[in-house]
Amino acid sequence: MHTPAHLPSASAARPALIDRFGRRIDYVRLSVTDRCDLRCNYCMPKGFTGFEEPSHWLRFDEIERVIGAFARMGVGRIRLTGGEPLLRRGLPELAARLSALPGVDDLSLSTNATQLTKHARALKAAGVSRLNVSLDSLRHERIAAIAGRDVLSEVIAGLDAAAAEGFSPVKINMVVQHGVNEDEIDAMVAWCRARGFILRLIETMPVGSTGQSAAYTDLQPIIANLAEHHGLAASAIEIGGGPARYWRSTDDGFTLGFITPISQHFCATCNRVRLSVDGTLYMCLGQNDSMPLRDLLRAGISDAELEAQLRDAIELKPERHEFREKPSQIVRFMSHTGG
């Protein structure tokens, strides 16, 4: 019989999770579903139906046990992801359970915002404090081309609902694709600046056949151009503990982030692991190192044994991805691993 995840554990005094390369692991990206209501061209193929069976999904009590174990070992940042996490029934209930765990001090959500109008209030009440919203264009026809259907109005309505509930900060994630939407960057900067959002520009990653065929754009020259034309200076601020490097306006405080896994990777400071909906713990988005946890949980593993498994898993974390050297290595789709 294990100690309930919501109770303090003697393991609270144990050292933090440190990998073989001296990096402290304090961030778990938790996928609650591999399903999505969109088919973005860099993420999931049109017509894809090869989803995990619901019986394979980690149940809420199983998720709570894993996150509780991580929290006892110094992991304080949890991000709910998918697929589209708001498609998981009862997500606000899970959020409330996780935010109540001792040691969890930052619970955030990545979403495409199509369902956000229905859930913003409940998520805020449950303890979700920050949102990352995917938005790759401000043009209806482009959204339809990228995502499979035009959901621009729904996304903007979701952002309005989030603003009304007081979520802060709200980050807009724009995956920049050559010849697809890179000509909209200035418009997106102006739009986010006017609304008080943080804009983050992201390079496409060769994850799955969709990511490998997406039109890659090197963000380095774009960074220099935006800095010059929008009065931005490099900043050492940390917002959410993720991989973005930020630049900030010297006059109105507008913040622009860049996630550059290809042109300037951030592996040396990687502090995260990903738990997929089926209970597989992935140590790196760009490698195949993983540890399955679901069967262990369902076999009655104790809390002490679970913590030992997590420490063993961290030992598998590689030094870096090989997106440049082996761009076809990762065949699983982004939606399977968790965003």
Side-chain angles (χ1 to χ4, degrees), residues 51-236:
F51 300 108
E52 282 291 339
E53 293 294 328
S55 62
H56 295 171
W57 299 354
L58 285 191
R59 299 185 289 261
F60 283 4
D61 61 329
E62 294 167 338
I63 292 172
E64 187 177 2
R65 283 201 66 202
V66 176
I67 299 304
F70 269 120
R72 292 192 296 273
M73 294 185 283
V75 175
R77 302 181 190 273
I78 309 298
R79 175 168 293 278
L80 301 168
T81 72
E84 172 45 52
L86 295 181
L87 296 182
R88 180 75 184 257
R89 186 175 298 176
L91 186 67
E93 174 201 340
L94 175 64
R97 291 168 66 168
L98 298 182
S99 67
L101 290 171
V104 173
D105 51 27
D106 180 45
L107 182 63
S108 56
L109 172 76
S110 290
T111 176
N112 63 27
T114 61
Q115 312 291 316
L116 195 52
T117 53
K118 294 184 287 188
H119 300 292
R121 178 164 297 178
L123 290 167
K124 192 69 164 61
V128 176
S129 59
R130 300 183 296 105
L131 298 176
N132 287 7
V133 174
S134 298
L135 183 60
D136 296 324
S137 175
L138 296 171
R139 302 182 187 179
H140 290 274
E141 70 281 2
R142 278 196 181 165
I143 288 288
I146 294 169
R149 61 190 181 94
D150 176 16
V151 291
L152 181 59
S153 297
E154 295 158 64
V155 173
I156 291 175
L159 287 166
D160 289 342
E165 296 301 327
F167 283 98
S168 180
V170 173
K171 301 174 186 174
I172 303 298
N173 286 347
M174 179 185 184
V175 176
V176 180
Q177 298 183 70
H178 177 69
V180 176
N181 64 347
E182 63 185 341
D183 61 333
E184 279 194 76
I185 292 175
D186 283 330
M188 190 70 82
V189 167
W191 190 81
C192 290
R193 196 170 203 160
R195 287 159 179 78
F197 298 144
I198 294 170
L199 174 62
R200 304 197 311 172
L201 304 180
I202 303 174
E203 292 177 346
T204 55
M205 290 172 273
V207 176
S209 58
T210 46
Q212 290 159 14
S213 61
Y216 169 73
T217 296
D218 182 342
L219 288 182
Q220 296 306 316
I222 291 174
I223 293 172
N225 180 269
L226 289 172
E228 179 182 353
H229 287 87
H230 294 278
L232 304 174
S235 173

Side-chain angles (χ1 to χ4, degrees), residues 17 65-71 73 275 281 283 291 293 304-315:
L17 284 174
R65 283 201 66 202
V66 176
I67 299 304
F70 269 120
M73 294 185 283
L275 183 63
L281 189 66
M283 269 29 87
M291 179 171 285
L293 298 176
E305 291 168 330
L306 176 57
E307 290 178 21
Q309 287 290 327
L310 297 181
R311 290 191 183 280
D312 288 346
I314 297 305
E315 288 297 303

Side-chain angles (χ1 to χ4, degrees), residues 237-287:
I237 59 170
E238 179 186 291
I239 307 174
R245 296 180 173 97
Y246 289 99
W247 292 63
R248 177 167 278 183
S249 166
T250 54
D251 51 15
D252 64 359
F254 169 69
T255 301
L256 184 60
F258 299 91
I259 299 179
T260 56
I262 310 299
S263 67
Q264 187 182 7
H265 72 74
F266 35 81
C267 300
T269 58
C270 183
N271 62 342
R272 68 204 68 87
V273 292
R274 287 172 164 81
L275 183 63
S276 71
V277 67
D278 69 352
T280 302
L281 189 66
Y282 289 97
M283 269 29 87
C284 174
L285 185 60
Q287 297 282 11

